[in-house]
Amino acid sequence: MYRYAVIYNPHSGHNNGESVGQKIEQALIKNQHKVELMPTEGPKDATRLAKKAARAGFDVVVAVGGDGTINEVVSGLATLDQPPYLGIVPAGTVNNLARMLQIPLDIDQAIENLQQVHLRPLDVGQVNDDCLISTMTLGILADAALNVTQSEKQKWGPLAFLSKGIHALAEHQHYPLTIETPDRHWQKDTQFLLVTLTNSVGGFTNFNPEAQPDDGYFHVFVAPKMSLARSVMFLPYFLTGNFKKIPGMTYFKANEISITVDNQQSAQTRIDGDPSAKSPLEMRLLEHKLQVITPNPDL
């Protein structure tokens, strides 16, 4: 028997977050587990609730939602020396982390997965004072994501982000960056930078086949300047897991990174779908920081 704290937004989706929370509660109680529902009351409240659940001695803290909600829960757990296990019931538009961990996107199957308690280590990124569980974008990809409406996300899913990103390339905005790791130094003029911990980006699960949830690295892509026509020509690279092979693309792995926009212009970043820190960025990987419940490959 385990004690589960279930953190969810009661107004998520079509205001059906409450019913999803109750469904999880009923399934866990049916199997003799103890459950406490913890609905959020506003932005970043999931971080507070995750810390509260850990202090109360819960065995598992369940994040119900997309990458943004999971990020908030992880932000509360990653500061602890002995955090509870992380459980995930994916209920977002993109669900990059859940896709990489092969957690079912079907609610009923995801609830069943919670009760198997098969654990896998999970790396967590730290970006200044923020946590990173999936992706960080800087430049036009971050700007483009700001223009994706909730209705577009619900209607088109990951394709909404891809479409906005391609059109943003036509604006020809670029950023001079200084990027440093413990053993390298670059100065690059780029339209966008992408840092990922997952093989799924924008919901496309074959984006970066090399990435693993516990491999100990940030995977970094620094794009060359591209016209709209050139970006469309390279779209197959994105869809077939060969993004790093785009001519002029800089790709590297590191566990510590410093990133500065050299001309001090405002460069928006987004972490796991939400607006986040601006330059300069100090990034550090917290290797195997959490234990997350995933499907048992032997079953």
Side-chain angles (χ1 to χ4, degrees), residues 4-8 21 24-25 28 35-39 60 62 64:
Y4 291 80
V6 180
I7 299 175
Y8 65 99
I24 296 170
E25 180 184 38
L28 293 174
V35 186
E36 181 173 334
L37 296 182
M38 293 185 167
V60 182
V62 180
V64 183

Side-chain angles (χ1 to χ4, degrees), residues 161-176:
F161 294 95
L162 182 60
S163 174
K164 295 288 186 179
I166 290 174
H167 283 89
L169 290 170
E171 298 179 8
H172 304 296
Q173 179 71 37
H174 59 91
Y175 304 88

Side-chain angles (χ1 to χ4, degrees), residues 117-128:
V117 194
H118 175 266
L119 299 173
R120 180 169 185 175
L122 181 68
D123 296 339
V124 176
Q126 183 176 338
V127 185
N128 293 355

Side-chain angles (χ1 to χ4, degrees), residues 8 18 24 129 142 144 147 156 166 173 175 189 201 207 220 222 230 233 248 260 271 282-283 289:
Y8 65 99
E18 189 70 47
I24 296 170
D129 295 327
N147 297 320
W156 300 108
I166 290 174
Q173 179 71 37
Y175 304 88
D189 204 22
V201 173
F207 176 84
V220 185
V222 187
R230 192 169 181 234
M233 182 176 66
T260 304
I271 291 178
E282 296 295 331
M283 307 181 66
K289 182 60 184 177

Side-chain angles (χ1 to χ4, degrees), residues 41-93:
E41 298 177 357
K44 306 298 182 182
D45 196 37
T47 299
R48 177 186 67 84
L49 292 174
K51 292 179 179 179
K52 178 181 177 181
R55 288 194 299 267
F58 282 90
D59 303 302
V60 182
V61 175
V62 180
V64 183
D67 293 314
T69 300
I70 298 169
N71 179 297
E72 289 189 27
V73 171
V74 167
S75 295
L77 300 181
T79 60
L80 307 175
D81 292 332
Q82 293 183 309
Y85 302 148
L86 172 66
I88 296 172
V89 175
T93 303

